[in-house]
């Protein structure tokens, strides 16, 4: 009882660290989520790879013809765009349900809420790992030659994970208190998919429409995709994402400090 009391009244940093330092728990829970989702399935999580591969294979030649772009140039652009957008979308969508889907744990005893944010993020990382392998045959077919710029993919991925954790806390808290926000976020992500260069090339935009590239999801996509296509993302995108990371981390931290103890009462 005294342990539960001390946990509920510890400072926000200690509460955050208590959940973050237990990857053995949240990684195991994330893996079980994947296993249960594909229980009694013959191929299991490989269906993630196959379904994404079929979609990319069907859309590539069609959209290349529609946009009048050489297939060898457009196909890796589309493949990476679809893979990364699927990652973005699942992170944001799952963030809205982070605490609601973990209510049976939170109602039974003390658990630091960051544990379930990491669980959601780990589950999406596992799914992403099953899908990013599709990049290898696409890159070999398109003859992409990587340079040292490809190493910039890793700091970009780190920034994505930091943002994903902050967004997980932010949306998890807001959507637990206000359930209608989940529907707003879902609709917003559907709209942003068409305002982000997933299916189209940024250079095809007219000058007056380039403001859509200020979209942080478009900037994050450029940081991740460009190094894997043998290029280097612009400094503008790095600065934009760094500013966005600081902003989301600060807002998520403030909400976490103020409302972390109320989550169980909102469930």
């Amino acid at each position: 009882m005294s342990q539960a009391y001390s946990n509920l009244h510890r400072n926000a940093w200690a509460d955050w660290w208590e959940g973050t330092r237990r990857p053995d728990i949240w990684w195991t829970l994330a893996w079980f989520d994947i296993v249960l989702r594909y229980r009694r399935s013959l191929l299991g999580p490989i269906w993630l790879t196959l379904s994404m591969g079929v979609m990319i294979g069907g859309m590539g030649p069609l959209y290349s013809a529609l946009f009048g772009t050489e297939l060898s140039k457009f196909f890796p652009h589309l493949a990476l765009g679809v893979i990364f957008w699927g990652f973005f979308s699942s992170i944001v969508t799952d963030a809205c349900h982070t605490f609601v889907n973990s209510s049976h744990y939170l109602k039974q005893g003390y658990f630091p809420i960051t544990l379930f944010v990491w669980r959601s993020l780990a589950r999406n990382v596992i799914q992403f790992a099953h899908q990013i392998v599709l990049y290898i045959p696409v890159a070999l077919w398109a003859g992409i030659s990587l340079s040292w710029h490809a190493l910039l993919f890793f700091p970009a991925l780190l920034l994505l994970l930091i943002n994903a954790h902050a967004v997980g806390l932010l949306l998890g808290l807001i959507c637990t208190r206000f359930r209608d926000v989940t529907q707003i976020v879902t609709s917003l992500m559907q709209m942003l998919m068409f305002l982000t260069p997933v299916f189209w090339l940024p250079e095809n935009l007219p000058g007056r429409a380039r403001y859509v590239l200020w979209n942080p999801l478009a900037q994050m996509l450029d940081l991740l995709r460009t190094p894997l296509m043998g290029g280097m993302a612009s400094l503008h995108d790095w600065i934009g994402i760094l500013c966005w990371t600081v902003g989301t981390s600060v807002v998520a931290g403030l909400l976490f400090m103020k409302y972390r103890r109320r989550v169980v009462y909102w469930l």
Side-chain angles (χ1 to χ4, degrees):
M1 188 70 181
S2 60
Q3 179 64 27
Y5 181 87
S6 65
N7 283 336
L8 286 172
H9 292 78
R10 65 175 55 193
N11 62 61
W13 169 254
D15 201 352
W16 177 85
W17 177 244
E18 184 68 23
T20 302
R21 73 182 184 90
R22 294 306 304 269
D24 55 322
I25 296 178
W26 46 260
W27 191 263
T28 301
L29 289 174
W31 181 252
F32 282 159
D33 288 340
I34 299 295
V35 171
L36 290 175
R37 182 178 300 181
Y38 293 95
R39 184 174 53 183
R40 299 186 185 278
S41 172
L42 181 62
L43 297 179
I46 297 178
W47 280 114
L48 295 170
T49 308
L50 293 178
S51 59
M52 182 71 75
V54 170
M55 183 174 67
I56 293 171
M59 293 175 63
L62 174 62
Y63 276 74
S64 175
L66 288 175
F67 293 131
T69 307
E70 184 181 354
L71 183 59
S72 61
K73 175 184 178 182
F74 181 77
F75 202 35
H77 174 91
L78 175 68
L80 289 172
V82 170
I83 291 169
F84 285 126
W85 182 262
F87 192 28
F88 298 165
S89 181
S90 62
I91 285 173
V92 173
T93 303
D94 283 2
C96 297
H97 304 282
T98 295
F99 304 132
V100 175
N101 290 344
S102 303
S103 60
H104 51 290
Y105 291 107
L106 292 168
K107 289 179 180 179
Q108 290 178 13
Y110 169 76
F111 289 95
I113 64 173
T114 52
L115 187 75
F116 302 102
V117 177
W118 286 116
R119 171 196 183 182
S120 177
L121 180 55
R123 181 172 61 246
N124 285 293
V125 168
I126 294 171
Q127 293 176 345
F128 172 71
H130 282 86
Q131 296 168 346
I132 194 61
V133 296
L134 293 170
Y135 164 74
I136 299 174
V138 171
L140 293 175
W141 176 83
I144 295 177
S145 57
L146 298 179
S147 64
W148 67 270
H149 296 306
L151 296 176
L152 293 175
F153 169 79
F154 296 103
L157 183 61
L158 178 61
L159 283 175
L160 172 61
L161 296 178
I162 294 172
N163 273 282
H165 182 64
V167 169
L169 274 178
L170 186 64
L171 289 180
L173 290 167
I174 294 174
C175 294
T176 302
R177 178 62 181 86
F178 304 101
R179 302 298 171 91
D180 290 335
V181 175
T182 300
Q183 304 304 321
I184 297 173
V185 171
T186 302
S187 300
L188 185 62
M189 288 300 294
Q190 291 175 350
M191 180 189 70
L192 288 174
M193 180 175 63
F194 298 101
L195 296 178
T196 304
V198 177
F199 308 113
W200 44 271
L201 296 170
E203 53 265 30
N204 291 341
L205 282 177
R208 63 180 180 276
R210 289 190 171 271
Y211 69 90
V212 300
L213 298 179
W214 286 72
N215 165 14
L217 289 174
Q219 294 178 330
M220 191 75 251
L221 180 59
D222 187 50
L223 294 185
L224 291 166
R225 179 167 56 188
T226 303
L228 296 181
M229 293 185 64
M232 184 175 181
S234 67
L235 181 61
H236 171 269
D237 290 337
W238 283 103
I239 295 175
I241 289 300
L242 286 172
C243 293
W244 177 262
T245 303
V246 172
T248 54
S249 299
V250 169
V251 174
L254 292 174
L255 287 180
F256 175 69
M257 287 189 291
K258 187 171 184 179
Y259 297 111
R260 70 186 190 278
R261 299 189 185 99
R262 303 187 189 180
V263 170
V264 69
Y265 301 106
W266 293 340
L267 293 171

